[in-house]
Amino acid sequence: MNKVIAIYPGSFDPLTNGHLDLIERGSKIFDELIVAILRNPEKQPLFSLAERKEMMAAMTERWKNVQVDTFDGLMVDYAVSVDASAVLRGIRAISDYEYELQMALMNRKLAPNLETVFMMPALSYSYLSSRLVREIAQLGGHISGLVPELVEQRLREKMDPAHKFADLQLPKKSRTGKKR
Ligand code: PNS
């Protein structure tokens, strides 16, 4: 039997623990899973395509049948170009369903042999979205537990570039103002 290649397309701006949960589930049922990060010239993302790809590659390294790639244009064209026969999408709540159904049926119209497979992330991630993570981070809220530590750190650096240097050992001044 031919191996089943699936793509998991999305913006991943940023990658969340919900995405990782879905990738892990997908890696168990597909022979190969390609996480395909969309380059959307119409949207101004928080993280560049290169940053998103680098973070995704680091966080999915542990699953040997998972690869990370980027794409632009029609998702179905990309799927055909990598010989994928399935598209993985996550459904968190019924509110996702309408949009996902519309997209799946439109993609089926464009590429009848490509199947969309919906999977549910763990219940604990059912309220999680990249949009909310971005908003909370931008407003200074806590995002630990919602995104991998690497992403949390990168978000902090984006919001406050000085944070990047916080760990550097700066010479401390004594009370007299002299450097110690
Ligand atoms: O993470 P997102 O933003 O929900 O992902 C949406 C995505 C990337 C799957 C969708 O916007 C997409 O497939 N875009 C590529 C352009 C395309 O094929 N559009 C037709 C969709 S029916």
Side-chain angles (χ1 to χ4, degrees):
M1 211 172 112
N2 284 348
K3 63 177 184 175
V4 178
I5 302 173
I7 64 166
Y8 177 34
S11 309
F12 307 108
D13 186 32
L15 155 68
T16 69
N17 285 340
H19 293 132
L20 282 185
D21 179 277
L22 213 74
I23 292 168
E24 180 169 21
R25 288 171 200 279
S27 75
K28 288 181 188 156
I29 65 164
F30 298 113
D31 296 307
E32 231 181 88
L33 181 64
I34 304 171
V35 180
I37 308 173
L38 174 71
R39 176 181 339 149
N40 187 350
E42 281 159 34
K43 268 197 200 168
Q44 182 60 48
L46 181 61
F47 287 100
S48 70
L49 194 64
E51 287 172 319
R52 282 178 280 157
K53 188 178 180 192
E54 186 226 319
M55 287 189 279
M56 184 64 87
M59 298 321 303
T60 55
E61 210 181 8
R62 67 192 109 156
W63 299 298
K64 295 302 161 216
N65 62 339
V66 175
Q67 294 171 44
V68 181
D69 198 4
T70 61
F71 78 105
D72 51 21
L74 277 181
M75 188 272 287
V76 292
D77 288 344
Y78 172 76
V80 168
S81 76
V82 292
D83 285 333
S85 52
V87 179
L88 173 65
R89 290 289 290 172
I91 293 217
R92 293 160 298 187
I94 198 75
S95 49
D96 283 339
Y97 184 71
E98 221 171 306
Y99 168 65
E100 292 297 335
L101 177 73
Q102 186 185 18
M103 206 156 58
L105 292 179
M106 184 58 84
N107 284 329
R108 179 181 282 167
K109 171 100 182 111
L110 297 170
N113 293 329
L114 191 65
E115 286 299 336
T116 299
V117 176
F118 294 127
M119 291 183 85
M120 286 85 66
L123 197 59
S124 49
Y125 299 130
S126 58
Y127 60 92
L128 186 51
S129 74
S130 296
R131 186 182 61 79
L132 284 181
V133 165
R134 279 198 307 272
E135 190 173 313
I136 292 165
Q138 274 160 343
L139 296 172
H142 290 290
I143 46 160
S144 47
L146 305 180
V147 294
E149 270 178 33
L150 171 70
V151 176
E152 191 182 341
Q153 190 188 326
R154 295 289 170 85
L155 273 166
R156 265 196 251 117
E157 289 167 11
K158 276 259 177 242
M159 300 311 142
D160 173 15
H163 209 98
K164 204 171 185 172
F165 306 106
D167 292 338
L168 286 178
Q169 288 295 309
L170 296 173
K172 287 181 188 148
K173 282 186 178 174
S174 70
R175 285 202 187 136
T176 59
K178 286 186 185 151
K179 283 181 189 163
R180 284 190 277 178

